[in-house]
Amino acid sequence: MIPRGVLRLALCVAVVMSPTVMTPTAVVTAAETAAATVSADQLDFFERKIRPLLVQHCYECHSEQSDTMHAGLRLDAADGLAAGGDSGPAVVPGHPADSLLIQTVRYDGDIQMPPEGKLSEREIEHLVRWVRDGAAMPSTPATARPAAAGIDWQQGRQHWAFQPAHVQDLPTVTRSDWPRTRTDHFLLAAMERQGLEPAPPADRVTLIRRLYFDLLGLPPTPEQIDAFVQDRRVDAYQRLVDRLLASPRYGEKWGRWWLDMARYTDRTASWLPQTSHAYLYRDWVVAALNDDVPYDRFVHRQLATDLMPETGPEDLAALGFLSLSPAYWKEPKLPCEIIKTIVADEWEERVDAVSRTFLGLTVACARCHDHKFDPISSEDYYALAGVFASVRHAERPLIDEAAYEPVRKAKQRVAALEKEIQALRKQKPSAESEDAEKRQAEIKSRQAEIERIRQTTPNYDVPLVNALVEESTYVVRAGKTPEEGTAFEHRPEPRDLPAFIRGNPNRPGPIVPRRFLTVLTDQPQPFTEGSGRLELARAMTGEARSVTARVIVNRIFLAHFGRGIVATPSNFGRQGDTPSHPRLLDDLAARLIAEGWSLKWLHRELVLSAAWRQAASTSPKKLAADPPNRWLSRMETRRLDVEPWRDAVLSVSGALDHRVGGPSQPVDDANNRRRTLYATVHRRDMAATLMVHDFPDPTQHSPARSVTTTALQGLYALNGPLLLGHADRLLERLEREAGDASAAQRIERVYRLLYGRGPTMGERELGVAYVSAGDGEEAAERWQSYLHVLLAANEFMFVD
């Protein structure tokens, strides 16, 4: 008998790379997109986390404004950082352990900085991450906190992203017979200006596989492919698009896309309060997308559904966008001055996630000083931070509060009884059996009462969702001295924050009323309705609707075409990329608003286009003329994200469980056959399977998936339990469906299941020769290894 590993390796060269491989264009495009996103994210991280730290602890001695430049080291400019000081370079980009800056803040050597005391562990972690990611910083220094009056608002409003979006006149094109949608006219005009021509249309098999993965995140069955290929009606493709958009699988696929931006998690660190029903937010997102809830209302509900008269408690799960935000440990024994900073960091995280997700702006960069690049003042930042300082995270029932009050009292009584039971069990055992029997009787009596309460209290098991309440949080001393620790006060009235000097909450400046961003409104007015969450949401889809529409259009365009019209999807500011097709972006944004903010309308517009239906052409001429495919004169071969890849494995093996919604399950659980959307996301302990396959960091907003190719991914495919187990299940499926068929017929079936096509003559001959070389138990081993290699092949991992 030949070991499975040997059989797999024997087939790898012949099968894994054939016939579809990752083309050079796919590599270039992925690298280019990732580079643009990472660069913007690195600068954003520097402005939010690193510059405030340097301002507070370092600039007094190591900046242009220092009275004396200590040790010849300047830390407020990129060239100063690169040059270093008397002791040599301050940082070695990419290598924190070798960087003098990291060694000094860790107090690891003779030089220990800052001299007034060691930084907190979290601040050191921020510095380590910054250096590890390349120590990016702007080329010119920024002052600590310029006056808001220094911003030229009129000039700032001229930035392209802040202009009103209008339906555009269609451009003139030479190939007037090519466009199928308005989108095509703009794309074709740009191609023709660059001397490019569109690629031929994709064949029907390629097209249906691409469409299924793009809209549903699942492969089509051979029967579904045959039905589409044989459907000769003029509108066959449009009918297919409409059918897929109506499928409940659509919401599952695009729900996961949204959760990347919402930094969704099922679980967090063990030392933080646990989220008991986080999945209800995930399920709400899936349902809202399936129902095509207009995007403006989709935004409103996630920020303030509890303040909207037209929604009820059953909609409270929508607040998970805010209530599932990352939380930091706040040790009550620490002085309140430290805890104030931690709470202020949480407010900053909310401002950052909301502004980047919905507006494509890095507002959190203005916490310590006016935004270095964009017309966003520090006062703008604190106007938004006050909104999130005026709410508290709390679990709330999916029924009316009045109806839940008896349940709350019942649960309080149950908690008291459980406490009494624990006390009885802890009592020292008595030598007299009568006492032991009496104690056991008391325990049983209380257990019976608990069961009676649970059975007789209506709505006792109604879920509690992660939501918000309108209460401001204040951090105060627990006693008269700092040594007595910290306490929290929650007050029902909303709170306006002071503009913290240099971002330090222990140095308050003038009070800033809660309001919207100055640059996006003619006359900013204070929010007056509670915390202001609903007013903020309405402002984003009202006065700022053109910005908000452009951002969501660009995100969906990026998901369908592999590159956005703007390459930095969460940064539409001056440091972000400029649009490759500005008129198309405006046209789509204006029409999205006119179509009632329907996201399904937008999907339909894009996938019906001739541009999206192009083949993944790799002609040398096109590669030379436009390596990154900026002008979209072809489609790209793209690797599947981990969710559709794993889901496809389960689907073709016949194991996929199509149940919608419900609690999560560990992705590596051998019995987990549900879609990867329902795999447990742990904020502090990510599953290795997800980490290896580029799953986004759930501690922060993720604008786009990164794409890496590592040895671990290949080792996982060949040796991990997923493909090993499902190769067995795929063999069982073949035996059920084609047990009496010849080897050639079974190979035909498996190719169509996995790749949507039949094998070539060479592939069939190779497969038949291999699986027919053994008999008995060895034949089964060969079939399992053969199927395993087919599952691990590039053609299964990539979609044209």
Side-chain angles (χ1 to χ4, degrees):
M1 185 183 300
I2 304 175
R4 285 186 177 185
V6 175
L7 292 172
R8 287 194 298 275
L9 290 173
L11 283 172
C12 281
V13 174
V15 180
V16 169
M17 299 301 295
S18 171
T20 300
V21 298
M22 187 174 183
T23 62
T25 49
V27 176
V28 170
T29 302
E32 182 208 46
T33 303
T37 304
V38 168
S39 176
D41 284 348
Q42 287 175 334
L43 291 176
D44 171 44
F45 183 77
F46 175 81
E47 293 296 340
R48 291 193 299 113
K49 298 297 183 183
I50 304 305
R51 192 190 294 280
L53 191 155
L54 298 177
V55 167
Q56 183 175 352
H57 297 288
C58 308
Y59 279 8
E60 184 177 351
C61 301
H62 300 288
S63 72
E64 185 181 35
Q65 298 176 345
S66 304
D67 294 335
T68 301
M69 188 81 70
H70 289 239
L73 176 61
R74 181 177 175 184
L75 296 176
D76 64 335
D79 53 357
L81 186 73
D86 298 342
S87 301
V91 300
V92 180
H95 302 279
D98 300 328
S99 298
L100 183 59
L101 175 66
I102 303 302
Q103 295 167 9
T104 59
V105 299
R106 282 176 168 165
Y107 282 32
D108 284 345
D110 296 334
I111 306 174
Q112 298 180 343
M113 292 289 167
E116 67 270 15
K118 188 178 179 181
L119 300 176
S120 70
E121 286 303 314
R122 200 156 96 262
E123 289 174 321
I124 294 174
E125 286 175 8
H126 289 329
L127 284 170
V128 169
R129 173 183 165 184
W130 173 58
V131 175
R132 185 179 62 242
D133 291 348
M137 67 183 298
S139 57
T140 57
T143 56
R145 189 175 183 276
I151 296 178
D152 186 336
W153 298 111
Q154 184 174 356
Q155 182 182 7
R157 292 187 178 102
Q158 302 309 307
H159 181 59
W160 66 265
F162 305 147
Q163 302 305 303
H166 298 293
V167 175
Q168 303 289 305
D169 293 333
L170 291 181
T172 302
V173 294
T174 302
R175 290 189 54 178
S176 57
D177 61 331
W178 184 76
R180 293 176 179 269
T181 67
R182 286 179 59 89
T183 296
D184 288 325
H185 288 270
F186 296 98
L187 294 177
L188 180 59
M191 291 181 214
E192 292 180 344
R193 286 195 298 270
Q194 302 299 320
L196 296 168
E197 291 186 353
D203 63 78
R204 284 204 158 200
V205 172
T206 298
L207 193 59
I208 187 174
R209 281 179 58 79
R210 182 189 299 172
L211 188 67
Y212 262 76
F213 276 112
D214 253 30
L215 292 186
L216 306 188
L218 291 169
T221 66
E223 294 73 25
Q224 290 166 334
I225 293 174
D226 289 343
F228 176 63
V229 170
Q230 295 165 13
D231 189 345
R232 308 319 300 176
R233 288 175 294 184
V234 176
D235 62 346
Y237 180 67
Q238 289 89 329
R239 288 170 178 265
L240 177 62
V241 170
D242 289 341
R243 189 163 66 252
L244 298 192
L245 287 173
S247 167
R249 312 299 161 216
Y250 157 82
E252 292 180 317
K253 196 279 184 186
W254 286 90
R256 182 57 256 181
W257 164 83
W258 180 259
L259 295 179
D260 285 6
M261 292 172 275
R263 62 263 189 269
Y264 171 78
T265 188
D266 291 289
R267 296 188 61 78
T268 187
S270 59
W271 35 265
L272 288 169
Q274 292 304 304
T275 53
S276 57
H277 291 95
Y279 70 88
L280 292 172
Y281 171 66
R282 174 245 289 154
D283 291 351
W284 180 88
V285 170
V286 170
L289 293 174
N290 274 330
D291 292 342
D292 201 20
V293 171
Y295 183 68
D296 56 346
R297 280 183 268 166
F298 186 68
V299 174
H300 297 173
R301 292 184 184 183
Q302 291 184 80
L303 297 184
T305 193
D306 55 324
L307 306 179
M308 298 169 63
E310 63 270 32
T311 63
E314 68 282 354
D315 215 29
L316 284 174
L319 297 174
F321 185 92
L322 293 175
S323 60
L324 292 175
S325 299
Y328 313 129
W329 176 249
K330 295 174 274 291
E331 171 54 59
K333 294 181 181 179
L334 290 173
C336 72
E337 288 77 11
I338 295 176
I339 303 301
K340 281 182 179 179
T341 300
I342 296 174
V343 171
D345 288 347
E346 291 180 337
W347 294 335
E348 179 193 322
E349 194 282 333
R350 315 304 182 252
V351 172
D352 181 61
V354 168
S355 63
R356 293 178 72 197
T357 300
F358 300 114
L359 297 171
L361 295 174
T362 56
V363 176
C365 291
R367 173 176 170 179
C368 302
H369 50 76
D370 288 352
H371 202 294
K372 179 170 170 56
F373 307 106
D374 298 331
I376 300 169
S377 68
S378 186
E379 285 74 16
D380 282 329
Y381 169 82
Y382 286 100
L384 295 189
V387 173
F388 304 110
S390 299
V391 294
R392 178 173 63 85
H393 296 183
E395 290 190 326
R396 296 176 62 177
L398 289 176
I399 59 174
D400 185 82
E401 288 287 347
Y404 189 73
E405 188 57 30
V407 180
R408 185 175 283 109
K409 291 179 179 178
K411 290 192 173 185
Q412 290 171 352
R413 176 58 182 156
V414 166
L417 289 167
E418 288 174 340
K419 190 174 181 180
E420 291 175 11
I421 291 173
Q422 289 177 356
L424 287 167
R425 284 175 172 163
K426 288 180 180 179
Q427 289 180 8
K428 291 182 179 180
S430 170
E432 299 181 11
S433 60
E434 185 177 333
D435 288 344
E437 291 176 2
K438 180 179 178 183
R439 188 166 61 252
Q440 191 62 33
E442 290 177 354
I443 289 174
K444 289 184 177 179
S445 173
R446 285 163 175 77
Q447 289 174 334
E449 186 175 354
I450 289 173
E451 185 61 24
R452 182 189 60 78
I453 292 172
R454 287 175 172 165
Q455 294 295 329
T456 60
T457 305
N459 300 313
Y460 186 86
D461 293 323
V462 70
L464 294 174
V465 299
N466 300 97
L468 305 169
V469 291
E470 293 278 280
E471 289 182 0
S472 300
T473 297
Y474 291 81
V475 181
V476 297
R477 286 182 178 174
K480 294 182 179 180
T481 64
E483 291 75 19
E484 295 179 80
T486 300
F488 294 91
E489 291 183 0
H490 302 292
R491 305 174 189 173
E493 65 277 359
R495 179 182 184 186
D496 288 331
L497 291 176
F500 302 147
I501 297 172
R502 293 185 175 181
N504 185 347
N506 297 296
R507 298 185 62 192
I511 297 293
V512 181
R514 303 180 318 285
R515 57 167 175 78
F516 194 44
L517 299 177
T518 305
V519 74
L520 296 181
T521 182
D522 293 333
Q523 294 292 331
Q525 298 297 317
F527 294 154
T528 59
E529 301 175 13
S531 62
R533 285 180 288 130
L534 184 55
E535 291 165 285
L536 171 61
R538 286 172 174 164
M540 289 193 296
T541 58
E543 295 171 286
R545 60 185 175 276
S546 294
V547 181
T548 303
R550 284 191 186 96
V551 169
I552 192 61
V553 161
N554 186 67
R555 293 194 191 283
I556 293 178
F557 193 97
L558 165 64
H560 281 304
F561 283 92
R563 63 174 300 122
I565 298 173
V566 179
T568 51
S570 291
N571 189 351
F572 275 35
R574 291 193 179 113
Q575 281 293 101
D577 194 33
T578 55
S580 56
H581 302 76
R583 292 184 61 203
L584 171 59
L585 183 60
D586 269 21
D587 190 75
L588 287 171
R591 289 198 290 141
L592 174 68
I593 297 170
E595 292 287 342
W597 295 89
S598 167
L599 296 185
K600 286 190 177 182
W601 168 85
L602 181 58
H603 288 294
R604 188 177 291 105
E605 168 74 16
L606 297 180
V607 300
L608 287 177
S609 68
W612 192 84
R613 297 195 230 180
Q614 294 177 101
S617 170
T618 56
S619 71
K621 180 180 178 182
K622 285 198 172 186
L623 287 175
D626 183 19
N629 198 23
R630 178 179 175 85
W631 306 112
L632 299 174
S633 62
R634 61 185 184 273
M635 285 297 281
E636 301 285 353
T637 297
R638 284 192 283 162
R639 195 178 78 189
L640 294 172
D641 291 332
V642 61
E643 296 94 338
W645 176 63
R646 178 182 174 274
D647 293 352
V649 171
L650 270 64
S651 180
V652 299
S653 72
L656 184 61
D657 180 347
H658 285 286
R659 281 178 299 145
V660 175
S664 65
Q665 189 175 354
V667 69
D668 293 322
D669 184 340
N671 295 316
N672 183 0
R673 301 185 181 183
R674 304 195 66 199
R675 292 195 69 171
T676 315
L677 166 73
Y678 302 115
T680 301
V681 178
H682 198 304
R683 185 164 277 155
R684 298 289 178 180
D685 188 17
M686 181 70 69
T689 297
L690 299 179
M691 265 198 310
V692 166
H693 294 99
D694 302 321
F695 192 81
D697 181 357
T699 66
Q700 60 186 357
H701 163 93
S702 177
R705 293 284 177 100
S706 62
V707 179
T708 64
T709 301
T710 69
L712 284 176
Q713 294 164 357
L715 290 171
Y716 181 91
L718 288 178
N719 301 298
L722 178 66
L723 298 194
L724 276 170
H726 285 281
D728 285 334
R729 294 189 178 97
L730 181 55
L731 179 57
E732 292 171 3
R733 178 176 184 176
L734 276 182
E735 290 173 346
R736 287 195 310 270
E737 297 179 359
D740 297 330
S742 66
Q745 290 171 323
R746 295 174 94 185
I747 289 172
E748 175 80 21
R749 175 62 176 169
V750 77
Y751 263 79
R752 284 173 50 75
L753 279 170
L754 270 62
Y755 310 139
R757 65 173 179 88
T760 64
M761 183 179 296
E763 289 167 338
R764 183 182 295 106
E765 291 175 353
L766 174 66
V768 169
Y770 180 78
V771 299
S772 302
D775 52 21
E777 190 173 343
E778 183 180 338
E781 291 278 352
R782 284 180 171 270
W783 267 108
Q784 194 277 346
S785 296
Y786 177 70
L787 298 176
H788 186 176
V789 171
L790 292 181
L791 284 170
N794 272 0
E795 188 172 2
F796 191 76
M797 298 178 185
F798 289 80
V799 174
D800 281 334

